Amino acid sequence: MSFRPAVPVIWGDTPPFVESALLTLETGRPTVAGGRDPGYPALLAVTFAFGGDLSTVVRLQQAAWAVLILALAATAQTATRNAAGLVPIILVAMYPGLLLFRHVLTADLLFAVFLNLAMAGLLVATCVGRTARCCAVAGAVLCAALAACLRSQGMLVPIAAVLVGACVARPDTPTRLAVIALSVAAALALLAAGSRFGASDSDRASIVFLPKTLFCNHLNIVLASDAARREIVSAAGGPADATMARLAVDFAAEPGRWPVLGFFGDACLFDAALDRDVADDTGNAVGAAAAYWRIFLTAVRDRPLAYAGKFVRQMAYGASVAWPSYGLDPTIPVSTDDVPLVSEIMTRHGRATQPIDLQGRPVRIGLLSDLPGVSPHLFEALSTAFVIAVIFWTVIAVRRRRSRFLTRAGIVIVMWVASIVTAAAAHTLDVSRYLVPAVPTVGLMLSLFAAELTETIASLRRG
């Protein structure tokens, strides 16, 4: 069912991705616009270089989704040998929050694919012999590096994959050690060349994006810190009162939109006048980025408990909605304001596209999105089951019962935490899109839990 008509869907993130891809193609090196990560633009650039178009990208995403679902099913069957373990994977295959991203021109789908292939590789490594185990770990490390190139949210995923993989593989011969070492070296090369660290910034938004994101999404801590307020006054100079007033307005904007964070951080993030206020005497973006870093770090040093409390709340919330109710519209929504912008970008770079290519017929999501009255309750139940599974694993770990479930579920939990911890620390999990890529990880956790529970009940009945 994955291979439907390849209709590209434009969202708000699409224009900077397309701009970044065309700049990358022209400059011959990863170049980003609008603060995007370079991995997805690199894929778009390669697609354009080989004569493909945006519809080709959609076909690639559809194929990647099909590969992921088959890999998850094979992993669940290999790890559990239990039919009950396939039920959560079937629900993942029907999950509208991921199905819609097969058509949307953003990095979300491919990030989810490589994130979960990395986790699947680590799980498979626990089920095979030593030589195959090292190869599975090597593949998992490379997939984790690709995930980090696609979205900075996954920056800790390669680290988790390397640490967990080393514990699982335990290479005991020079050849096996060389396989693991080679995969780590290749992952480092990928991260150096294809992640945000190796990309060139083409505009002001890309230069200030990361420090301003940290500053704006911790604005409550910044404004509560006297030391941080002094840094703001020092950076703003003359218009300090106007700057503080602007920050107060941004902080008060749409207070109920992000309830877990407590305020709407994007009101500050998209306040372009703020960059001019905090920049140094040169007024350039580099000075503004340095000021945002300095103010944020000052606030965290002054109010470490407030920052720690924010992080704990975010992670607890992430666990409680680990399978978020997302994508429940009958058709995939389109950002009509951004469709002409993408067309203009393509034309400006000599790649004219017809409007029908960008604004085709509505794309139905199907399956669970057609049951909006039932699906939210199903996803709430699955999220609750995930929390119960984590508690069940914790009890087994505390009792120090050595079992395959303890090892395999531990791998899944570590990878799930690694996939969302960056968003929890730097942004907010009020944005459900940060949780959606990790839903297949949640599905595999439920597969392991269902199989373990089935075996436990069967053993009790036999006893």
Side-chain angles (χ1 to χ4, degrees):
M1 293 182 64
S2 179
F3 295 94
R4 294 185 173 189
V7 180
V9 175
I10 306 300
W11 276 14
D13 290 346
T14 305
F17 276 129
V18 173
E19 180 86 43
S20 300
L22 296 172
L23 290 172
T24 297
L25 197 59
E26 292 167 359
T27 61
R29 59 171 299 176
T31 306
V32 295
R36 302 304 97 183
D37 291 293
Y40 191 69
L43 171 70
L44 295 178
V46 171
T47 303
F48 295 154
F50 281 94
D53 55 15
L54 298 179
S55 296
T56 307
V57 177
V58 173
R59 292 189 184 95
L60 290 173
Q61 293 181 171
Q62 291 174 333
W65 169 254
V67 169
L68 174 63
I69 293 301
L70 293 174
L72 290 174
T75 302
Q77 180 63 17
T78 301
T80 65
R81 300 292 180 184
N82 191 312
L86 290 176
V87 175
I89 306 303
I90 294 172
L91 293 175
V92 170
M94 299 168 62
Y95 179 50
L98 279 167
L99 287 174
L100 67 88
F101 283 114
R102 295 171 302 167
H103 292 269
V104 179
L105 295 174
T106 64
D108 298 72
L109 192 282
L110 293 179
F111 172 65
V113 168
F114 285 109
L115 165 66
N116 291 285
L117 286 179
M119 182 264 303
L122 294 173
L123 277 183
V124 169
T126 66
C127 307
V128 295
R130 285 187 177 273
T131 301
R133 186 181 306 170
C134 290
C135 294
V137 169
V141 170
L142 291 175
C143 287
L146 288 170
C149 291
L150 287 161
R151 270 180 50 177
S152 296
Q153 175 186 343
M155 194 52 65
L156 295 181
V157 173
I159 298 174
V162 170
L163 296 177
V164 172
C167 295
V168 171
R170 295 181 182 176
D172 54 357
T173 66
T175 302
R176 292 168 183 165
L177 183 61
V179 170
I180 299 297
L182 187 61
S183 70
V184 173
L188 290 173
L190 276 172
L191 292 171
S195 71
R196 186 179 291 274
F197 299 114
S200 299
D201 298 318
S202 66
D203 57 2
R204 172 182 288 269
S206 298
I207 295 171
V208 304
F209 183 78
L210 179 57
K212 192 175 183 181
T213 296
L214 290 166
F215 172 88
C216 290
N217 287 286
H218 300 88
L219 193 55
N220 57 334
I221 301 175
V222 169
L223 294 179
S225 167
D226 292 336
R229 293 173 74 96
R230 286 193 295 270
E231 286 288 347
I232 294 172
V233 171
S234 174
D241 291 340
T243 302
M244 296 303 296
R246 182 176 291 110
L247 288 173
V249 171
D250 290 341
F251 182 73
E254 302 184 60
R257 187 162 178 178
W258 289 353
V260 180
L261 185 63
F263 59 96
F264 183 50
D266 277 1
C268 165
L269 184 64
F270 294 109
D271 187 346
L274 193 60
D275 299 346
R276 296 189 295 271
D277 288 351
V278 303
D280 55 19
D281 294 336
T282 63
N284 60 27
V286 175
Y292 287 132
W293 272 117
R294 188 171 62 252
I295 295 166
F296 167 72
L297 293 175
T298 299
V300 171
R301 284 194 298 266
D302 189 43
R303 298 285 181 125
L305 293 180
Y307 179 75
K310 176 258 184 184
F311 175 75
V312 170
R313 285 194 305 274
Q314 292 290 326
M315 292 300 294
Y317 175 74
S320 68
V321 291
W323 201 307
S325 297
Y326 192 81
L328 297 183
D329 297 318
T331 61
I332 303 176
V334 178
S335 178
T336 53
D337 293 340
D338 292 295
V339 170
L341 183 55
V342 171
S343 181
E344 186 271 329
I345 291 171
M346 300 282 284
T347 303
R348 176 157 39 88
H349 289 271
R351 293 180 175 271
T353 181
Q354 299 297 322
I356 189 63
D357 296 333
L358 301 176
Q359 205 167 11
R361 61 186 181 278
V363 180
R364 288 186 56 79
I365 302 174
L367 301 176
L368 294 177
S369 64
D370 293 330
L371 302 170
V374 176
S375 295
H377 301 294
L378 172 63
F379 300 149
E380 288 175 8
L382 292 169
S383 298
T384 303
F386 174 71
V387 174
I388 294 171
V390 172
I391 294 172
F392 182 77
W393 175 86
T394 304
V395 171
I396 291 178
V398 169
R399 295 175 63 181
R400 298 182 179 179
R401 287 177 51 192
R402 292 186 176 274
S403 69
R404 290 173 297 179
F405 171 76
L406 182 63
T407 301
R408 293 169 183 170
I411 292 172
V412 174
I413 292 171
V414 168
M415 295 300 286
W416 178 81
V417 170
S419 71
I420 70 165
V421 69
T422 305
H427 206 273
T428 175
L429 296 179
D430 285 299
V431 182
S432 297
R433 278 178 65 182
Y434 293 143
L435 293 167
V436 167
V439 165
T441 304
V442 175
L444 266 178
M445 181 66 182
L446 295 180
S447 294
L448 296 171
F449 177 56
E452 181 70 13
L453 206 57
T454 301
E455 292 177 6
T456 301
I457 293 173
S459 64
L460 289 175
R461 286 180 176 176
R462 287 193 299 269

